[in-house]
Amino acid sequence: MEKISFSTSLLFFWIKGAVEVDSRFVKTNLSNTILGFIPAGKDEQSIPLKNISGSMLSSKYNIKAIIIGLILIFIGLGSLGETFIGGLFWLIIGIGIAGSGIQTILNIEKSGSPHYISVPFFEKAKISELNQYINTALAEDTDKTDLNLFFDKKSN
């Protein structure tokens, strides 16, 4: 059984999610939020491996969020000379918004419908590892039902 915990938000890094992969299920435990940072419960799912046809990893770039973030960064840099605290505030908000425009997405195909798990770009290694665990579990599950493989192993 493999369990991966990760942050689901760039600015609000304390909002966590977890996915657990075993020989029968992929169990997701993600935080629901209001406005992206106010906790509002959990989204828990247990997806049987038999219902998963595959998983894939992709990157998503939200150009609008990146541009708005860059504008706020420049506003923050420009106002650092006038008010340091105000400039620092806009700088941090701009970096957070621009950074949240770059996301890594794990797409789990379950019974013909996608289940997306979006994380900030700095969690890509964890999500890539999770994708490997899911693909390994799917391969092992398929091997359990392959009679040719069973008889090949039995004859060796």
Side-chain angles (χ1 to χ4, degrees), residues 7-34:
S7 176
T8 58
S9 174
L10 177 68
L11 281 177
F12 307 102
F13 54 87
W14 59 85
I15 299 176
K16 300 284 185 184
V19 176
E20 191 175 321
V21 180
D22 62 22
S23 62
R24 299 179 321 158
F25 291 98
V26 174
K27 299 173 185 169
T28 64
N29 186 354
L30 305 171
S31 297
N32 289 333
T33 58
I34 298 171

Side-chain angles (χ1 to χ4, degrees), residues 93-113:
I93 296 297
I95 290 171
I97 291 173
S100 67
I102 306 169
Q103 292 196 328
T104 300
I105 299 171
L106 178 66
N107 178 6
I108 301 172
E109 287 291 329
K110 60 174 190 157
S111 301
S113 63

Side-chain angles (χ1 to χ4, degrees), residues 93-139:
I93 296 297
I95 290 171
I97 291 173
S100 67
I102 306 169
Q103 292 196 328
T104 300
I105 299 171
L106 178 66
N107 178 6
I108 301 172
E109 287 291 329
K110 60 174 190 157
S111 301
S113 63
H115 178 70
Y116 297 109
I117 299 174
S118 298
V119 297
F121 64 92
F122 63 86
E123 294 284 16
K124 185 172 186 165
K126 289 182 180 179
I127 293 299
S128 180
E129 183 179 3
L130 176 60
N131 189 36
Q132 283 297 110
Y133 289 149
I134 292 172
N135 286 328
T136 301
L138 287 172

Side-chain angles (χ1 to χ4, degrees), residues 39-124:
K42 294 272 185 187
D43 176 22
E44 295 180 2
Q45 290 191 27
S46 291
I47 307 166
L49 278 176
K50 298 275 187 216
N51 293 352
I52 297 175
S53 60
S55 67
M56 62 186 109
L57 202 59
S58 64
S59 295
K60 178 182 175 186
Y61 300 95
N62 185 348
I63 299 300
K64 186 167 55 169
I66 294 171
I67 290 172
I68 290 171
L70 288 174
I71 290 170
L72 291 176
I73 288 171
F74 290 130
I75 289 171
L77 289 174
S79 62
L80 276 175
E82 298 168 17
T83 61
F84 180 75
I85 300 296
L88 189 62
F89 172 77
W90 289 114
L91 192 62
I92 290 171
I93 296 297
I95 290 171
I97 291 173
S100 67
I102 306 169
Q103 292 196 328
T104 300
I105 299 171
L106 178 66
N107 178 6
I108 301 172
E109 287 291 329
K110 60 174 190 157
S111 301
S113 63
H115 178 70
Y116 297 109
I117 299 174
S118 298
V119 297
F121 64 92
F122 63 86
E123 294 284 16
K124 185 172 186 165

